[in-house]
C-alpha cells in the first residue's frame, strides 16, 4: 500500500527566506504526486502535481517541487516566502486501489512565517 | 463558478445520534470523493463515486458509515449511532472525470463534534 511521510510537523521561516518542505513516498509503481495547501478555515487547494516528464514541476503562488525517484522524494520549494504562505501543507500520492481512486496524504507540515 | 459546497459547516451531536453530511460537487463533475481529517489520523480517504456508483466501500471506517450519491450530483455521508471518535472534519472533493489527470477540488468541510 502507498504511504507518504512528511517528517517536519512544524516549520518556522522568516518572511523573504527560502523554503523547502520535505515529502517522501512509498508506492510500487510510478506515483502520481501532489502538494495541497490548507489555509486556516479554508479547504484544500492544489498547489502542483507530478505525473511524468520533467521532474521539476511549477505550481501556483510561486511554488515548485522536484520529483526524485532515487530518493522517493517530492520536496516543495519556494525561493522567497510571503506572510500569506502561512498555512498547512500536505503532500499526497494518488493510486488506484481495488477500483478506488484515492489520495493518500501525509500528516502535513504547518508553516509559520515570522516578520 | 461555484465550487464544492458542503453542509452543514458545523455539526454538534450527542453520542448515539445519527448525522447526515451533504456534499454538492461542482456542476458537471462525475467523480466525487469523501475524506476525513482528524487529529489522530490525519487526512484519510473514505469513499469514491464515479457517477452514482462507489466501486469499493472498504475505506469507510465501520458499518455505521454509509454514503450515497443520486443523480450523479449530490452526495450524502451518513453516520449512524455516532461515537466520540467520529469527531473530525469531513471533506468532500470532486473532479471532472476519474483519473489523476483531473484535479480534485475540495469543499470547505463539515466539522463534526460528537459529545
Amino acid at each position: 500500500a502507498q504511504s507518504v511521510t512528511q517528517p517536519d510537523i512544524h516549520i518556522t521561516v522568516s518572511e523573504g527566506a527560502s523554503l523547502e518542505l520535505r515529502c517522501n513516498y512509498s508506492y510500487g509503481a510510478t506515483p502520481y504526486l501532489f502538494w495541497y495547501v490548507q489555509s486556516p478555515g479554508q479547504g484544500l487547494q492544489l498547489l502542483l502535481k507530478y505525473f511524468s516528464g520533467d521532474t521539476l514541476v511549477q505550481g501556483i503562488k510561486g511554488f515548485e517541487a522536484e520529483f526524485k525517484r532515487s530518493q522517493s522524494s517530492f520536496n516543495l520549494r519556494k525561493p522567497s516566502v510571503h506572510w500569506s504562505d502561512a498555512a498547512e501543507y500536505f503532500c499526497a500520492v494518488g493510486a488506484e486501489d481495488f477500483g478506488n481512486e484515492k489520495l493518500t496524504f501525509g500528516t502535513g507540515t504547518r508553516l509559520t512565517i515570522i516578520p | 463558478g461555484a465550487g464544492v459546497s458542503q453542509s452543514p459547516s458545523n455539526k454538534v451531536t450527542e453520542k448515539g445520534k445519527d448525522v447526515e453530511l451533504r456534499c454538492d460537487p461542482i456542476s458537471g463533475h462525475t467523480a466525487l470523493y469523501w475524506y476525513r481529517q482528524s487529529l489522530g489520523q490525519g487526512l484519510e480517504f473514505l469513499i469514491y463515486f464515479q457517477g452514482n456508483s462507489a466501486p469499493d466501500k472498504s475505506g469507510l471506517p465501520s458499518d455505521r458509515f454509509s454514503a450515497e450519491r443520486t443523480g450523479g450530483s449530490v452526495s450524502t455521508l451518513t453516520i449512524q449511532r455516532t461515537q466520540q471518535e467520529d469527531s473530525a472534519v469531513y471533506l468532500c472533493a470532486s473532479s471532472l472525470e476519474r483519473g489523476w489527470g483531473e484535479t480534485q477540488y475540495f469543499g470547505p468541510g463539515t466539522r463534526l463534534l460528537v459529545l
Side-chain angles (χ1 to χ4, degrees):
Chain A
Q2 61 276 5
S3 66
V4 178
T5 301
Q6 292 180 250
D8 304 305
I9 296 173
H10 185 203
I11 284 182
T12 300
V13 299
S14 300
E15 190 169 12
S18 64
L19 172 70
E20 183 168 29
L21 302 182
R22 296 184 290 166
C23 172
N24 292 95
Y25 69 90
S26 173
Y27 184 56
T30 300
Y32 299 96
L33 295 164
F34 305 80
W35 274 100
Y36 280 85
V37 61
Q38 188 176 37
S39 299
Q42 304 291 314
L44 287 161
Q45 181 182 23
L46 180 68
L47 284 176
L48 47 77
K49 58 187 176 184
Y50 170 80
F51 294 160
S52 64
D54 193 346
T55 57
L56 186 63
V57 181
Q58 302 298 319
I60 62 171
K61 304 185 180 187
F63 286 91
E64 67 178 26
E66 186 171 13
F67 170 61
K68 292 185 177 180
R69 184 185 298 276
S70 62
Q71 298 177 19
S72 297
S73 70
F74 188 56
N75 293 348
L76 182 71
R77 301 194 294 248
K78 186 170 184 178
S80 175
V81 297
H82 186 261
W83 65 266
S84 61
D85 293 325
E88 186 129 23
Y89 292 80
F90 294 91
C91 180
V93 60
E96 185 155 343
D97 185 10
F98 300 103
N100 277 325
E101 292 195 350
K102 66 176 189 178
L103 288 171
T104 298
F105 287 87
T107 50
T109 297
R110 185 160 61 93
L111 176 64
T112 298
I113 308 294
I114 55 177
Chain B
V4 177
S5 60
Q6 293 184 246
S7 60
S9 53
N10 290 280
K11 176 72 177 179
V12 181
T13 191
E14 293 178 349
K15 178 181 172 181
K17 295 286 179 69
D18 297 351
V19 296
E20 280 191 355
L21 312 180
R22 178 187 167 105
C23 172
D24 280 273
I26 294 172
S27 178
H29 280 197
T30 63
L32 185 146
Y33 310 79
W34 283 98
Y35 296 87
R36 180 169 71 172
Q37 186 174 25
S38 56
L39 283 177
Q41 300 295 324
L43 265 161
E44 59 178 325
F45 168 83
L46 298 179
I47 194 168
Y48 150 70
F49 287 91
Q50 178 58 38
N52 293 334
S53 300
D56 189 86
K57 299 179 180 179
S58 61
L60 296 174
S62 77
D63 59 9
R64 296 185 294 104
F65 286 71
S66 62
E68 65 174 13
R69 189 179 185 197
T70 55
S73 180
V74 172
S75 177
T76 303
L77 179 69
T78 301
I79 309 173
Q80 296 179 307
R81 305 181 302 282
T82 52
Q83 303 293 312
Q84 289 181 332
E85 62 262 29
D86 299 334
S87 298
V89 177
Y90 289 82
L91 295 169
C92 176
S94 71
S95 62
L96 187 60
E97 299 284 347
R98 64 173 297 171
W100 296 113
E102 300 294 336
T103 297
Q104 289 186 25
Y105 295 90
F106 282 78
T110 292
R111 187 176 299 276
L112 175 65
L113 178 61
V114 181
L115 300 176

